[in-house]
Amino acid sequence: MRKKLFRAVLLLSILFYLFSCNLEPVLLLDNSGLTLNVRSQNKSIIIEWDIAYDEDLVGVNLSIYRVTEGEEELVEEHFIEDSSSYTFSAGKRGFYTIYVKGKNREGHYTEALRKQAFFFITDLPIIYVDTPDGKGVTTKEYLKKTRGMSTFSIRNADFYNIYTQETDIKGRGNSTWTKMGDKKPYNLKLSNDIKPFGMGKSNKWILLANAADRSLIRTEFVFTMANDILSDVLAYTPSGRAVELVLDGDYRGTYQLVEQKKVAKNRIDIDISAGEFLIEVEQIHDATDVGFETEKGIKIKLRDPEEEDEVDKIKGVIDAIEAFIYDEEREGLLEDKIDLDSFAAWYLVSELTKNVDSNFKSSIYFHYKNGILYMGPLWDYDLSCGNWAGTFANPKGFLNQKAGWFEPLFKTTEFKGKVKELWNAKRFGIKQHIDNIKENSRYLNQAQQNNFSRWPHLSETVFRNRVNTGSWEAEVDEVVNFLTARYAWMDAELNK
């Protein structure tokens, strides 16, 4: 009996104390009449809320917490009556948790709504994409068919700013889509042509995530070098530009906006109506892909045209060229069937970078023009330059001389001579581009801090990486060191 009396007195005392201290009421109200939206922008987080017209709420309590190693630390708190938005601009790079709870006239609060946003600071152009329902991109099918059109804009790019227009968007890639975490690559199909950063005018663009390339420069190095010193032998190499991506208000990291590999006058200039075509060597075929396998077992995917009724015709052309390449008693010259310059240039770039995708397995493009088969465009170099464990990380040793069609080609003096000739014509330009990597990567300094705060992968393997250096600067050094050693080895071997 005494214990029960003691507990009752204690409870009454606690209640009296709380009442006398005039503490805020316990959260009692439902929050269904309150909505919250947060959006990352350069140097700010935009916080917006909306109160349903029939809700008796006079304002909101806004709390902003910085998230560090899973712990939240309060940095700002406000009661706001006369606005439905707030711009938080006093942050540092990283995640913030936003809490908003409504307050009614009696002083009661709703349960808090909670969302997270990433605060970033950048000097790169920013691409904003908003899907029609704000639910992101989770499929490799264009969203227009099932969810409607999205919107696209470019900001922080001076006179290259592009104001909001409609776009379709989908996920893309094989391993880059399924095996490299949540930083995904995307295809864009805009309603209107754009010409960003001086690149070729088009409505089709690619956002490369480069999730496994923690230097963020491998693909850029290859494309820049090829466009600079190999444009006389490679008809077309895509151009690209590093950007920041904000998708549905969520900062997604540093990406590369790249020209889509498509048939056009300013890209892959072939005439489909005249029987010319674009194909890709790709060992992974989706259910919707149209393609075939050559007599030597090379899997080909049709890129343009892509119709099933074109397969037999294109297969006939490729099988004939393949047979000619393998025929040691062929009548005629290799250059009667294939463009030796583009084959040699493509080989040298892929051999120099020791690209894991270049051994006739994946992402190898050919285009057929005027009765001749050309190699190119170059593509998919995020796992090159020592970024893949094992043999691919050794700067010594040839990778592609026994891969696919290169094996019979290297048995000919015609092709071996062309490779050596082209290497010696371009070797100084190649070396200069290698020597300039560190200087040319400096513009990514702010962006890489954002990227690796958003995706802290510098000390962990993303996808079969050779080494985990722990810093972006060390990742860039790895690229330079590999290419420097690789160049020296190739220069000696090709000139024996």
Side-chain angles (χ1 to χ4, degrees), residues 289-348:
D289 289 334
V290 177
F292 59 90
E293 190 170 318
T294 72
E295 295 297 320
K296 295 295 183 179
I298 296 172
K299 293 183 178 180
I300 302 290
K301 187 185 295 186
L302 271 60
R303 284 305 189 184
D304 199 355
E306 295 181 282
E307 290 73 26
E308 191 73 47
D309 58 8
E310 297 286 343
V311 170
D312 289 343
K313 180 179 68 176
I314 294 175
K315 177 174 168 54
V317 172
I318 294 301
D319 281 344
I321 292 173
E322 182 182 72
F324 187 78
I325 289 173
Y326 276 90
D327 186 359
E328 295 183 1
E329 298 179 359
R330 71 181 69 84
E331 294 183 6
L333 300 173
L334 284 171
E335 61 187 21
D336 295 334
K337 299 290 184 181
I338 66 173
D339 179 67
L340 291 180
D341 283 331
S342 65
F343 270 66
W346 191 98
Y347 164 78
L348 285 172

Side-chain angles (χ1 to χ4, degrees), residues 61-289:
N61 193 81
L62 170 66
S63 304
I64 303 171
Y65 290 80
R66 177 169 170 79
V67 182
T68 306
E69 296 182 354
E71 299 294 324
E72 294 183 347
E73 177 187 1
L74 181 65
V75 293
E76 283 191 19
E77 190 165 33
H78 310 277
F79 180 74
I80 302 174
E81 295 180 271
D82 55 356
S83 179
S84 60
S85 66
Y86 181 79
T87 299
F88 173 62
S89 57
K92 300 177 181 179
R93 286 183 180 90
F95 281 104
Y96 287 79
T97 304
I98 316 298
Y99 293 91
V100 167
K101 54 185 179 180
K103 182 181 180 181
N104 69 7
R105 297 182 188 280
E106 289 72 38
H108 292 357
Y109 284 89
T110 68
E111 294 184 24
L113 296 177
R114 175 186 183 275
K115 288 198 174 183
Q116 276 199 335
F118 190 90
F119 191 97
F120 69 97
I121 303 168
T122 189
D123 48 10
L124 287 188
I126 308 166
I127 290 181
Y128 293 94
V129 177
D130 289 299
T131 62
D133 50 14
K135 294 182 178 179
V137 182
T138 59
T139 175
K140 293 200 292 183
E141 298 292 331
Y142 277 113
L143 300 190
K144 179 182 177 180
K145 294 180 181 178
T146 56
R147 293 163 56 188
M149 291 292 279
S150 304
T151 60
F152 168 95
S153 64
I154 298 179
R155 295 288 186 269
N156 207 43
D158 296 325
F159 51 86
Y160 287 119
N161 283 342
I162 294 176
Y163 294 102
T164 303
Q165 64 169 275
E166 287 192 327
T167 187
D168 208 351
I169 185 171
K170 70 173 184 177
R172 69 173 315 279
N174 291 318
S175 297
T176 51
W177 180 255
T178 60
K179 299 179 180 179
M180 298 187 188
D182 291 331
K183 189 186 180 192
K184 307 288 189 182
Y186 305 104
N187 279 1
L188 298 170
K189 188 191 296 183
L190 279 70
S191 296
N192 303 297
D193 287 345
I194 62 172
K195 191 177 181 181
F197 317 116
M199 292 187 278
K201 190 175 183 180
S202 180
N203 73 322
K204 292 185 178 180
W205 298 87
I206 292 174
L207 284 165
L208 294 179
N210 293 319
D213 176 15
R214 293 163 304 184
S215 74
L216 303 174
I217 59 165
R218 286 176 167 88
T219 297
E220 179 180 318
F221 162 75
V222 169
F223 286 179
T224 301
M225 179 181 69
N227 277 310
D228 188 25
I229 65 173
L230 295 172
S231 59
D232 57 331
V233 286
L234 289 172
Y236 168 73
T237 299
S239 295
R241 177 69 163 84
V243 297
E244 306 276 34
L245 175 64
V246 177
L247 176 61
D248 286 330
D250 179 22
Y251 172 75
R252 301 298 295 172
T254 304
Y255 277 67
Q256 195 174 6
L257 180 69
V258 177
E259 293 174 342
Q260 171 68 282
K261 313 169 298 299
K262 74 171 190 175
V263 174
K265 286 291 184 184
N266 64 347
R267 295 195 180 176
I268 303 167
D269 186 11
I270 58 177
D271 186 353
I272 301 298
S273 65
E276 298 175 350
F277 53 81
L278 172 68
I279 59 174
E280 177 190 6
V281 172
E282 178 56 73
Q283 62 179 342
I284 301 174
H285 281 214
D286 294 334
T288 58
D289 289 334

